[in-house]
Structures are given as structure tokens and as C-alpha cells.
Amino acid sequence: MIADHLIDGMLSGTGVRDAIAGGYVVPDTVGLSAQLVADLAAWQRKYEDAHFEGFPANAVAALDEEGLALASRAQSELSDKRIGYFSNGRMERLA
């Protein structure tokens, strides 16, 4: 399945990548709730910390678990879109 958007923790990103056109979008412009936008921002800050720590395996695993949950929440809020998840720490798509 091709996703419309990917949740990912890329250091220079916004947390939401346009999987079709490329590039990042501002999370609150795609219809996500204020709470989910805030949770994405907090998660992305943790991903940034893990980046500068060299992506410790235990940190990446925890961040990916949280990121997958965020992607699931985004899918619920954007039921007309397909939402996936990309692990920046593993450099692979997990959903």
C-alpha cells in the first residue's frame, strides 16, 4: 500500500512527510488535532536527542513504538488518507 503521508523523525523534518510529492508538511495543515500535533512535536524532540546520541538501539525501539502509535492515531484522524511510518533510526519503513 502506498501511503499519502509518513510519520517520521527526520532531524530536519516536521514529523509528517508527504509520501507522494516528497518533502515535509506542517502537521496542523493536514487536519491533525492540536493534541496530536503537540504529541508529534514532543516525539520529534526525543528523536532529535536520539540522533545526537548516535541512535542507541533501545532508544530507537522505544521511539519507533511511540511513532507507530502516533501513525495509528493520525490514521484515525485522517481516515481518508493512508498513513505510514518510517523509522529514521533504522532507515526503513515499518508501516
Side-chain angles (χ1 to χ4, degrees):
M1 173 173 69
I2 298 174
D4 295 302
H5 293 93
L6 291 171
I7 303 300
D8 81 25
M10 179 69 76
L11 184 62
S12 62
T14 64
V16 180
R17 183 171 13 139
D18 185 324
I20 297 170
Y24 287 87
V25 296
V26 178
D28 59 359
T29 65
V30 294
L32 297 174
S33 67
Q35 184 60 58
L36 183 48
V37 169
D39 292 347
L40 273 166
W43 170 77
Q44 190 148 17
R45 284 189 297 277
K46 290 186 269 185
Y47 226 115
E48 180 178 327
D49 291 342
H51 170 88
F52 289 115
E53 293 168 1
F55 288 127
N58 62 332
V60 171
L63 287 165
D64 286 342
E65 183 176 325
E66 186 177 351
L68 285 162
L70 290 167
S72 179
R73 287 173 56 198
Q75 182 64 71
S76 293
E77 291 187 12
L78 303 174
S79 59
D80 62 326
K81 303 286 185 193
R82 293 165 300 204
I83 308 298
Y85 177 75
F86 183 84
S87 171
N88 215 55
R90 297 179 190 186
M91 292 306 290
E92 67 180 303
R93 187 168 167 186
L94 300 181

